[in-house]
Amino acid sequence: GESVGLHLPTLSVQEGDNSIINCAYSNSASDYFIWYKQESGKGPQFIIDIRSNMDKRQGQRVTVLLNKTVKHLSLQIAATQPGDSAVYFCAENLSGTASKLTFGTGTRLQVTL
Amino acid sequence: EPEVTQTPSHQVTQMGQEVILRCVPISNHLYFYWYRQILGQKVEFLVSFYNNEISEKSEIFDDQFSVERPDGSNFTLKIRSTKLEDSAMYFCASSEETLVRFGPGTRLLVL
């Protein structure tokens, strides 16, 4: 039968506000995490990464927080802009060396003017 | 900034036909990957390739799939006999170590 697409959770944010996108990862052995942004029809674009020996990492307008106790990752975007509208995926890497990434379901961020 | 490139951007094929998707990874990267994304779904790992051999593959990557690095710059994914359910975006990716960079994708449509 026809496969049904996932219903992505959607976060709607006003331009200029801060956005927080959450992700629950599955494997406690994962030790490297990446946030990707995907615009319609394009490939995943790297935003920021974090290793499991850290609980926070900051980039330009973005911050990733890692809570290993509850296996939770969040991406904070400061002063959200219309160009931030996209689907955001977290991905986990089990081995810590180059290996496969396991992607989360994704969250659609809609920035309203 | 160097990018992963992929060709073609779109491919339409008949069921049962062979397709080859092509990629040029970032030049100093050592690890190469193929992922796919069925419309509306999440990105799924297919295969990783290092030192001229497959290092890991998923259950999706069955005998119909193969990868090759025919020369020093290209990395290809071949699907021998396409099925309707192979219709998806196929992303090539590469990394120096853990930071994986993705290409723009090839949209494959199997009719």
Side-chain angles (χ1 to χ4, degrees), chain A residues 39 43 58-59 71 83:
Chain A
E39 296 171 289
Q58 288 185 291
K71 295 190 288 187

Side-chain angles (χ1 to χ4, degrees), chain A residues 42-77:
Chain A
K42 297 184 178 180
Q45 177 188 351
F46 170 83
I47 301 173
I48 192 167
D49 59 355
I50 189 168
R51 295 197 177 276
S52 60
N53 61 353
M54 303 171 71
D55 53 21
K56 180 178 180 179
R57 190 161 188 227
Q58 288 185 291
Q60 189 177 17
R61 279 202 310 120
V62 294
T63 301
V64 55
L65 299 178
L66 175 63
N67 185 331
K68 295 181 286 295
T69 304
V70 294
K71 295 190 288 187
H72 184 268
L73 204 62
S74 69
L75 176 71
Q76 300 177 2
I77 305 173

Side-chain angles (χ1 to χ4, degrees), chain A residues 17-28:
Chain A
D17 287 351
N18 296 335
S19 303
I20 300 177
I21 300 170
N22 296 303
C23 175
Y25 63 91
S26 56
N27 195 319
S28 56

Side-chain angles (χ1 to χ4, degrees), chain A residues 81-111:
Chain A
Q81 302 167 358
D84 295 327
S85 294
V87 177
Y88 289 80
F89 292 96
C90 66
E92 59 185 296
N93 182 306
L94 288 175
S95 67
T97 59
S99 184
K100 71 176 185 180
L101 292 174
T102 299
F103 278 76
T105 306
T107 296
R108 184 179 305 281
L109 177 65
Q110 291 180 336
V111 182

